Amino acid sequence: MTYFNNISNIKYEGPKSNNPLAFKFYNPEEKVGGKTMEEILRFGVAYWHTFTEDLSDPFGAGTAIRPWDKYQGMDCAKARVEAAFEFFEKINAPFFAFHDVDIAPEGDTLAESNKNLDTIVAMIKEYMKDSKTKLLWNTVNNFSHPRFVHGAGSSSNADVFAYAAAKVKKGLEVGKELGAENYVFWGGREGYETLLNTDMKLEMDNLGRFFHMANDYAKEIGFDAQFLIEPKPKEPTSHQYDFDVASGYAFLQHYGLEDVLKFNIEANHATLAGHTFEHELHYARIHNMLGSVDANQGHPLLGWDTDEFPTDLHTTVLAMYEILKNGGLGRGGLNFDAKVRRGSFTPEDLFHAHIAGMDSFAVGLKVAQRLIDDKVLENVLEDRYKSYKEGIGLDIVEGKADLHKLEEYALGLTEIKNESGKLESIKAIINQYLLTTFAAR
Ligand code: XUL
Ligand code: CO
């Protein structure tokens, strides 16, 4: 059975193409800085937004027209797998990602849920044999069901902790079975609403224990995926324990987990935390903790996780700059944790959305590579911090200065001269690179 009958494989046609069902900038085979775009960008399709999401919002019912929705229960889950692999091939996706409940319905008991999962995982495994699309990561949904009302690994109820742990155990087995490159932990409800009824220390300690147990079990079964933690400051809880990369890193260090997990950084989570996407990528990169990316964007006027497909080119340039400076994403990728808008309800919109996102990151990649080749931002930093290359600055960075020495130096200063940070000039140069990279083509 096929589901996207009026759509053929999406091809690269170049910037002059008028075909909405073609890539204008993403040319998978094109080399940028020695590697193909496909190798660098490692795009992933998010199962939940593309095949499970019905596009409902708090004020209205779902609008999505999905040909597989004529089926129910396990039949629908099976139809989704067929549709997913047709979509992966047509959009030419190297990767996909899912939560347990995206691929198989939960049963009345854990054993029944696991049985449903086994059936669908076996089917996915069969489809993967004839597909180039690999599993970027899987995870388990330990936040939607009412049992997780007080959290999962940080729940006040030990039975829920146990249930959540059992779901992760199964998730790790599923990841191993399907050869997942990574395993993600997004702490959907790992936080709290109010300190009036919360033992924060116990909850955080338990969360630390939860990650160690998962790591021990992954080792036990020989599942060697990279573990990733995905920070988000709020939503659904008002205080999430992994607020952003900085607080997440402190948490990992405190619980001896800094060698166990890296970060899966989501653009919209970064902006919800009051950071830019590039801030979060940069913070992870300079600590060698950048693992993977959930590629989306928020709405500048809305204060919640709108999960839009990424189209802001300025942001994709700065994101790809960080990723290239990181030496790529390793086993990670750019997973479109993004959904079409409620008004974009046709199956075809799923293609338009992915094309827009893939093209936007392809532009970002090419512009960022040019910025790096021309050392544009490296020269800015070199010049701005030159005072640390000699004299008292060099003494400071080499640890040869103490407060006595610095006081003596400061007393001898007759004037302190600062130089311009040239911010407007730098922004104009980035615009120039953005506009000229494709101008001649
Ligand atoms: C929620 C979110 C999740 C994680 C996986 O904001 O980003 O979809 O990516 O659980
Ligand atoms: Co995400």
Side-chain angles (χ1 to χ4, degrees):
M1 174 92 183
T2 53
Y3 297 87
F4 304 102
N5 296 326
N6 52 345
I7 292 171
S8 36
N9 291 0
I10 308 299
K11 297 263 163 42
Y12 170 73
E13 291 185 6
K16 292 198 175 128
S17 167
N18 292 323
N19 178 2
L21 289 167
F23 296 119
K24 319 299 180 305
F25 303 103
Y26 178 58
N27 183 6
E29 284 109 56
E30 183 181 332
K31 288 202 167 168
V32 181
K35 279 190 189 160
T36 66
M37 283 197 179
E38 186 170 72
E39 283 166 333
I40 303 168
L41 294 166
R42 296 169 64 83
F43 288 125
V45 176
Y47 211 94
W48 54 103
H49 285 312
T50 299
F51 308 110
T52 317
E53 171 78 47
D54 68 359
L55 301 181
S56 54
D57 72 14
F59 302 97
T63 56
I65 299 167
R66 302 290 180 252
W68 49 90
D69 277 352
K70 60 181 178 229
Y71 301 106
Q72 309 255 297
M74 283 297 278
D75 289 337
C76 183
K78 288 176 188 169
R80 277 196 186 108
V81 175
E82 288 183 323
F85 279 87
E86 183 188 343
F87 185 84
F88 300 155
E89 188 181 338
K90 289 188 167 167
I91 200 73
N92 190 16
F95 292 102
F96 71 116
F98 63 78
H99 304 77
D100 51 356
V101 302
D102 307 330
I103 60 166
E106 281 202 86
D108 290 336
T109 62
L110 183 61
E112 208 180 293
S113 301
N114 287 348
K115 200 166 146 259
N116 290 349
L117 262 178
D118 288 340
T119 305
I120 300 299
V121 166
M123 184 174 171
I124 290 179
K125 197 172 177 182
E126 269 311 298
Y127 271 75
M128 285 177 80
K129 281 188 187 151
D130 298 321
S131 165
K132 74 169 216 181
T133 309
K134 296 201 214 117
L135 185 55
L136 184 64
W137 51 261
N138 67 308
T139 183
V140 295
N141 178 326
N142 276 349
F143 43 89
S144 291
H145 192 280
R147 77 176 71 86
F148 299 117
V149 61
H150 300 309
S154 65
S155 173
S156 48
N157 181 348
D159 283 355
V160 176
F161 184 104
Y163 199 100
K167 285 191 75 192
V168 167
K169 177 176 179 286
K170 184 71 182 170
L172 296 170
E173 291 160 10
V174 166
K176 185 180 179 211
E177 180 71 7
L178 297 178
E181 304 259 337
N182 306 274
Y183 185 88
V184 164
F185 295 85
W186 171 58
R189 291 184 193 273
E190 311 295 26
Y192 69 93
E193 295 303 325
T194 166
L195 282 176
L196 297 176
N197 64 8
T198 300
D199 185 341
M200 189 199 265
K201 173 91 171 62
L202 177 66
E203 290 200 1
M204 291 184 78
D205 287 353
N206 279 348
L207 207 48
R209 292 182 185 105
F210 194 86
F211 285 121
H212 276 292
M213 289 180 204
N215 185 41
D216 290 347
Y217 187 65
K219 280 199 189 134
E220 187 185 321
I221 62 170
F223 177 39
D224 71 345
Q226 170 67 58
F227 273 18
L228 301 168
I229 183 170
E230 184 179 324
K232 184 174 181 181
K234 55 190 169 194
E235 199 198 283
T237 68
S238 41
H239 303 263
Q240 300 270 125
Y241 292 134
D242 52 351
F243 186 96
D244 59 1
V245 174
S247 62
Y249 191 41
F251 172 89
L252 295 180
Q253 286 178 310
H254 181 72
Y255 291 101
L257 290 159
E258 68 273 33
D259 297 327
V260 172
L261 293 114
K262 287 191 172 183
F263 287 95
N264 183 39
I265 294 170
E266 176 162 329
N268 204 166
H269 296 181
T271 48
L272 281 178
H275 299 307
T276 58
F277 184 22
E278 62 271 18
H279 166 95
E280 290 291 83
L281 294 168
H282 189 92
Y283 202 107
R285 164 168 83 80
I286 62 175
H287 293 97
N288 193 26
M289 292 297 280
L290 176 53
S292 196
V293 170
D294 271 6
N296 63 11
Q297 67 185 26
H299 192 291
L301 304 181
L302 301 175
W304 65 90
D305 197 12
T306 59
D307 282 345
E308 296 176 19
F309 272 83
T311 50
D312 181 313
L313 299 180
H314 191 76
T315 302
T316 60
V317 169
L318 298 184
M320 284 315 301
Y321 178 82
E322 292 301 331
I323 290 167
L324 291 175
K325 292 295 273 186
N326 192 57
L329 286 170
R331 303 183 76 177
L334 293 171
N335 167 54
F336 289 115
D337 190 351
K339 60 181 172 209
V340 288
R341 298 304 85 195
R342 189 163 178 264
S344 308
F345 43 72
T346 71
E348 202 168 294
D349 287 311
L350 296 172
F351 284 89
H352 294 153
H354 282 83
I355 291 168
M358 290 158 92
D359 271 343
S360 298
F361 268 93
V363 170
L365 166 61
K366 288 192 77 167
V367 175
Q369 183 66 51
R370 269 188 75 211
L371 286 168
I372 289 172
D373 290 345
D374 293 354
K375 294 194 167 44
V376 173
L377 298 176
E378 286 78 353
N379 288 341
V380 167
L381 294 191
E382 178 88 17
D383 185 53
R384 189 154 185 246
Y385 293 89
K386 58 182 179 291
S387 66
Y388 289 94
K389 289 278 157 54
E390 56 183 23
I392 196 70
L394 191 59
D395 287 346
I396 292 170
V397 297
E398 287 185 343
K400 292 181 188 153
D402 60 13
L403 291 189
H404 295 289
K405 187 168 179 174
L406 293 171
E407 183 194 43
E408 194 189 318
Y409 180 83
L411 286 169
L413 282 171
T414 47
E415 64 168 337
I416 290 180
K417 271 211 304 206
N418 271 313
E419 289 176 17
S420 167
K422 301 189 187 109
L423 184 55
E424 295 77 4
S425 164
I426 298 164
K427 285 186 172 176
I429 293 170
I430 291 175
N431 280 350
Q432 186 186 7
Y433 271 70
L434 240 170
L435 291 168
T436 56
T437 300
F438 296 92
R441 273 150 253 243

